[in-house]
Amino acid sequence: MIELQPFIDYLQVEKRVSPHTVTAYSGDLEQFAQFIHELSIENLSDIQASDIRTWIITLLEDEHCSARTVTRKISALKAYYRYQTKIGAVERNPMLQVHAPKFQKKLPEYVEQGDMEMLFTDELFDDTFEGRRDRLILELFYATGIRLSELLNIKKVDINFFDNSIKVLGKRNKERIIPIGHNLSTLLTNYIEYYGEKLSENNENYFIFVAANGQQLYPKAVYRIVHKYLDMVTTIGKRSPHVIRHTFATHMLNNGADLNAIKEILGHSSLAATQVYTHNSMEQLKNIYKQAHPRA
């Protein structure tokens, strides 16, 4: 079997990629290594571009493997071979002869603005620790567009109530400061004052979002919280924290925000990643045009 661990270590230590990417790439490359093993190929230098193309074809034929997943697996293999070339483990890079299939890009799903306003009605949330925490989680996602991992790691020290901002640690350990509104600042203040003892009871680092036992929340718990409440107000297919991130960006753009400003708030490394939301905005304009123009 081809060796993967040095590359995984390289991703974690030198490239400092997110834990999510490390996990995804590890699984992708293990799948590729198993495929190569089944072809009775044991040496990395013996793998041909044709072998890689055959693997990609098997992925495309798998009905459970989405276009996005196939693209990610190809990206993982490209990164792996760039590393092997860099350290001199291979003389030639077969990925240079492999072209990824082109897929039609799917527009990010988002929740309509009216549905998001319905989400924050008092009737949906119990007046308990869990109810107030869940509302704050949803408010924070929608008000800032932060990622799930960024939300989970917010500590009290990261919140600046003087200038209404939050510091988060994004991909590749990049810190950024995100402004928050007066309403969210008040919700955070009341939550911390009321439940401060519970938040710090079993957690020296004082994470803001904890379970009933005082321990830091884990990702699946937040997924369930978001899905539960979005299910009450929308029928869109995906109901995840990342959908609220898409919703934040789309609503900001639809209401006149500058694309570069949205890029900085989201923590995107390039404007290209943010520009996908302009397509959603254009779809809204098309719908308005069709509804309003007599000859549309």
Side-chain angles (χ1 to χ4, degrees):
M1 294 280 282
I2 60 176
E3 192 174 13
L4 302 177
Q5 193 56 49
F7 173 65
I8 301 303
D9 294 339
Y10 166 75
L11 290 179
Q12 292 174 312
V13 178
E14 292 192 39
K15 300 297 288 184
R16 297 191 300 177
V17 304
S18 70
H20 176 77
T21 300
V22 170
T23 300
Y25 276 25
S26 296
D28 295 339
L29 293 172
E30 285 171 5
Q31 182 186 14
F32 176 70
Q34 181 61 40
F35 177 81
I36 290 302
H37 178 69
E38 290 171 0
L39 294 180
S40 299
I41 300 174
E42 298 298 334
N43 296 319
L44 186 64
S45 57
D46 293 334
I47 300 173
Q48 305 294 318
S50 59
D51 300 320
I52 298 172
R53 292 192 198 99
T54 302
W55 180 58
I56 294 173
I57 290 171
T58 63
L59 295 175
L60 294 172
E61 291 174 344
D62 184 351
E63 61 180 16
H64 300 296
C65 198
S66 67
R68 183 175 180 179
T69 300
V70 173
T71 301
R72 189 201 64 220
K73 291 177 184 293
I74 294 171
S75 296
L77 199 56
K78 283 182 177 179
Y80 177 73
Y81 268 104
R82 281 197 299 269
Y83 168 76
Q84 297 300 336
T85 303
K86 178 180 178 181
I87 65 173
V90 293
E91 293 183 2
R92 55 177 182 79
N93 182 352
M95 288 302 294
L96 296 177
Q97 299 174 268
V98 176
H99 301 288
K102 291 185 178 181
F103 301 105
Q104 184 176 3
K105 285 190 176 181
K106 191 175 180 181
L107 297 180
E109 284 192 275
Y110 67 95
V111 183
E112 294 291 343
Q113 192 163 326
D115 293 336
M116 288 304 294
E117 291 171 1
M118 287 176 54
L119 178 64
F120 297 113
T121 55
D122 293 336
E123 292 78 13
L124 292 185
F125 302 92
D126 297 331
D127 189 20
T128 60
F129 166 69
E130 285 86 356
R132 293 190 182 190
R133 178 204 61 196
D134 294 354
R135 174 169 186 161
L136 186 56
I137 286 172
L138 291 161
E139 291 267 14
L140 194 54
F141 272 136
Y142 183 48
T144 62
I146 58 177
R147 302 177 178 94
L148 171 59
S149 60
E150 294 169 347
L151 177 133
L152 287 173
N153 290 305
I154 292 175
K155 303 172 186 175
K156 183 183 177 183
V157 69
D158 297 323
I159 306 171
N160 188 328
F161 291 104
F162 180 74
D163 66 358
N164 284 346
S165 65
I166 292 182
K167 179 177 68 176
V168 297
L169 190 65
K171 289 185 175 181
R172 295 178 177 81
N173 293 327
K174 290 183 180 179
E175 289 185 352
R176 69 183 189 282
I177 307 295
I178 303 174
I180 59 175
H182 176 73
N183 179 60
L184 180 56
S185 180
T186 301
L187 286 174
L188 281 163
T189 300
N190 294 340
Y191 172 78
I192 291 172
E193 286 181 353
Y194 200 80
Y195 296 112
E197 186 175 338
K198 176 184 283 292
L199 301 181
S200 58
E201 182 179 355
N202 297 312
N203 197 323
E204 295 178 359
N205 289 321
Y206 203 157
F207 289 105
I208 294 299
F209 296 110
V210 299
N213 61 4
Q215 297 296 320
Q216 183 188 19
L217 273 183
Y218 51 92
K220 284 188 178 179
V222 178
Y223 265 100
R224 285 199 294 267
I225 290 167
V226 171
H227 189 280
K228 170 187 173 181
Y229 288 100
L230 286 186
D231 195 45
M232 297 178 183
V233 299
T234 182
T235 58
I236 63 171
K238 291 185 178 179
R239 302 173 193 128
S240 67
H242 215 69
V243 164
I244 304 184
R245 180 171 164 88
H246 294 325
T247 301
F248 162 83
T250 302
H251 291 180
M252 287 280 286
L253 191 62
N254 287 346
N255 286 286
D258 177 73
L259 196 63
N260 278 297
I262 297 173
K263 167 186 172 292
E264 293 302 318
I265 294 174
L266 291 177
H268 284 161
S269 57
S270 70
L271 194 60
T274 317
Q275 284 175 329
V276 65
Y277 298 109
T278 63
H279 297 294
N280 277 339
S281 185
M282 181 56 67
E283 287 302 309
Q284 184 192 47
L285 289 176
K286 287 179 181 178
N287 290 333
I288 293 171
Y289 177 77
K290 288 177 182 177
Q291 292 170 11
H293 198 282
R295 295 182 65 82

